[in-house]
Amino acid sequence: MSALQASGLDLAPGAELPPLEVGSISRTTLALFAGASGDHNPIHVDLDVARSAGLDDVFAHGMLSMAYLGRLLTGWVPQHRIRTFGVRFVAITPVLARPVCHGTVRDVTDGLATIDLAVRLADGTTTLTGSAVVDLTEGAA
């Protein structure tokens, strides 16, 4: 039985990947991500800079949310099966938000599944949208 079969996911269009809840995004998370990613834009970690830009507080890096979507995908399939992965940033993820990552099968053709992706907050705000193509064939490398 392959990992995909073990996931129990019906790969028909409309099937949903199990959502990934990543927990609250703290200021520590933002500082650690800044160091790990090399994105030291102070608007993500310095309250004074955020306020000088007219914001109430700092906010998460868009790439942090993309990384969470990557975790959603690699929690479902091995990384080498992901053929494409792209996102569009559509809203700010505020500090202390609790993003949830979602994936829905849009299409399965010739062993390739196209997955629509989104990150949503508890208030219904979608902060990131995107898609990925995953190779479902056995022995895919």
Side-chain angles (χ1 to χ4, degrees), residues 14-36:
E16 296 184 9
L17 277 62
L20 174 66
E21 298 181 26
V22 296
S24 178
I25 295 179
S26 69
R27 295 173 198 286
T28 301
T29 302
L30 298 179
L32 291 172
F33 186 78

Side-chain angles (χ1 to χ4, degrees), residues 11-94:
L11 293 175
E16 296 184 9
L17 277 62
L20 174 66
E21 298 181 26
V22 296
S24 178
I25 295 179
S26 69
R27 295 173 198 286
T28 301
T29 302
L30 298 179
L32 291 172
F33 186 78
S37 68
D39 181 352
H40 296 281
N41 185 331
I43 204 159
H44 297 297
V45 293
D46 187 326
L47 183 56
D48 293 333
V49 170
R51 287 187 174 156
S52 73
L55 301 168
D56 293 333
D57 206 339
V58 298
F59 60 93
H61 308 71
M63 294 300 287
L64 176 59
S65 294
M66 186 178 184
Y68 290 144
L69 280 177
R71 188 189 304 171
L72 172 76
L73 290 170
T74 59
W76 176 54
V77 295
Q79 182 178 350
H80 69 269
R81 288 181 179 255
I82 299 171
R83 297 295 181 248
T84 66
F85 175 34
V87 299
R88 180 172 176 258
F89 306 106
V90 294
I92 286 175
T93 301

Side-chain angles (χ1 to χ4, degrees), residues 65-129:
S65 294
M66 186 178 184
Y68 290 144
L69 280 177
R71 188 189 304 171
L72 172 76
L73 290 170
T74 59
W76 176 54
V77 295
Q79 182 178 350
H80 69 269
R81 288 181 179 255
I82 299 171
R83 297 295 181 248
T84 66
F85 175 34
V87 299
R88 180 172 176 258
F89 306 106
V90 294
I92 286 175
T93 301
V95 69
L96 304 178
R98 301 179 67 85
V100 178
C101 301
H102 300 271
T104 304
V105 176
R106 181 187 336 144
D107 181 60
V108 179
T109 303
D110 296 331
L112 298 174
T114 302
I115 313 296
D116 289 326
L117 301 166
V119 177
R120 294 188 193 100
L121 305 179
D123 68 0
T125 301
T126 298
T127 61
L128 212 70
T129 60

